[in-house]
Amino acid sequence: MAPSVADTAKPDVSAERDEPGAGDEEIQLEAGEAELTLGGGASLSGGVRLQRSGFLLEAEQADYDPALRALSLAGGVRYGGPDADVESELARFSYDEGLIRFEDARFGLAARNSRGEAGLLQIERSGLLTLEDVSYTTCPPGEDDWLLLGNRIRLDTAEGVGTARNVKLEFQGVPILYAPWLSFPISPARKSGFLIPDIGSSGRNGTDVSVPYYWNIAPNYDATVTPRLLTRRGMQLNTELRMLTGSSDGTAELEYLPGDDETGEDRVYLRLQDRTIIADRWRALLDVRSVSDDNYFEDLGGSLSEASTTHLNQSLRFDYPGRHWYLAADFRIFQTIDSTITGEEEPYRQLPRLIASGDWPSTGTGPSWGIDSELTYFDRDAGVTGWRLNARPRFEYSIERPGLYLRPGIEVDHTAYGLTQTAPGEADAPSRTVPLFSVDAGAIFERSIDDRGWIQTLEPRMLYVHVPYAEQQDLPVFDTIEPDLNLVQVFRKNRFVGPDRLADTDQVALGVTTRLFDAATGRQLLRATIGQTRYLSDQGVTLPGLAPVSADSSDYIAELGFDVYGNWNLDLGHQWNSDTDTTTRSEIRLQYLPEDDRVLNFSYRFRRGSIEQADVSWSWPIGERWNLVGRYNYSLREDTTLERFVGVEYESCCWSIRLVTRRYISRRDRTADSSIAIQLELKGLTSVGDPADELLERGILGYSGN
């Protein structure tokens, strides 16, 4: 064992504990050889090791100055701590100040797997690192693909924040950013500061440059303020504020473009969302979206779905989700942003909608009952307005046996109105009271496929519903529709959604589902369902403008989910009319996902008379570090491309770059726009360019990014 000078050093060190500024932790100092002086100094050689709680400091030799209570180290100096590792040839440790200073140092930070060099590096007891004449990167040694160069950089490992003055950012040896001051993360923790600008371009808006500033107001509050320059429109200011407390979770977004150079008008978008626990189980739910003009999303949005928006919801709800009761007061209006929609086609304002629902289910064989009720005032500038009361008490008796169930039930639907603005001769207080009778029955059978280790189920179901006819032509239609047919709709008791119409019927819904499971893992390999409703009598109730149902049966509805063969999975939905032997609706999606970094999607959508689209998208490596991404969405019905983009990505260990070109339908009149996005990500620092990854994640199912 090397001789220790700990005993010699201890009297001086121990004496320092009681003096102001001194720490309370004992330092252990060891050296191969020690030469002591009468004044308390020491020259240490043959390998010096200084250890204190939290760090270890080693060197070939050292000199101890008792007057300054400092240790000067030289030759192969190495520092190891919880936040950083440092190497240099010269260092100085001051015990009173808790400082370690290194000259011509090389350092590494564990939190970001980063490293750098500094002419001078100082470590404080708190974990604060101060560096001068410094370079910083997350690239491995020998691959300085990007460097952050600064006269002075401070790295606060406790806060996870780095700040730099007179900074230059180089990529592949080319300067791409100069700044007198820059802040950047050195840990995953949130921090305030400017982010690297986003840069993009589109045919409609010109060059698009955003400079976001992130403000970490408090642990539960933050904001992002983003000045955005659109060279064809002007300067836009975008702000997002987020709040999270013990009782609330809210977000506020505001986009403001004063004096659009293209339109001459101020352009504004507002989004408010909040969920607040008021008391006990009472909640307040706010959801508001608003724009200044009908063309906002067409001009400033980024997708066909945004451009196709016709109404914006603005609602406030107070509710109480109790054990048996659900109570709510809902206030809802809509902003219509499609000028082709007339006043009589606009949705009604609901001011208010009062809801009371109760449910007392059975826990096996036995009775269950409940009630759904609502009272709503419907208001609109054109057409009939007024109150609607709907109450629907229900009773059901469940008979449960292993693998079998039988649930007969009865409901009574009562709807009454108090109307204004009715046409001459029309009733202002119509009502309807109709009983509903039903029997729901089903079974679950299963068998083992031993040679493959699979379990297969067979799950037949039958729902019988009888609703007598009631005249309803004098009832208004406030919010009731007939939705597209699907498996959920097949097993509903009313083919309409909304209380304004209750379909008379005498029908039997039949369906069967089979599932295939891996017995060892429980993973579902296959799910297939087919269903149809058989009508035992003609139906007379309908919505205005629609003919009554006179067919003997509904279309067949089939769904298939297939995940058996390796990395392939298939989802299929099909609606078939047996009377005309035609397909009403069909959706197919085939995905090949062999690994996390590669995916290939094929899909096809068909809806008779309205939609026929094909879509292919992919993300696939074309080399060790190269990746090709793309999407092609084509309307066969309109013989036009809805969206296409193609891009290439390159990823190294410490940076990645992405280039995506895109052309897409951006207006309701099918006008197209083009854009190009370039994104450079310096890992552990930030990204430069347009956020193209959002486009890829939205357009390519299964895309995982970097």
Side-chain angles (χ1 to χ4, degrees), residues 649-665:
E649 300 174 312
Y650 176 84
E651 181 176 8
S652 74
C653 56
C654 60
W655 64 275
S656 64
I657 191 168
R658 180 181 296 120
L659 172 65
V660 179
T661 62
R662 180 187 182 209
R663 185 166 180 81
Y664 61 102
I665 300 296

Side-chain angles (χ1 to χ4, degrees), residues 21-32:
D24 294 330
E25 297 179 74
E26 183 176 290
I27 294 177
Q28 183 178 1
L29 180 62
E30 297 179 357

Side-chain angles (χ1 to χ4, degrees), residues 334 342-344 346-349 378-385 421:
F334 298 90
T342 66
E344 293 187 350
E346 292 183 0
Y348 279 90
R349 298 182 287 269
F378 293 92
D379 184 43
R380 194 172 64 182
D381 296 334
V384 178
T385 63
Q421 300 182 194

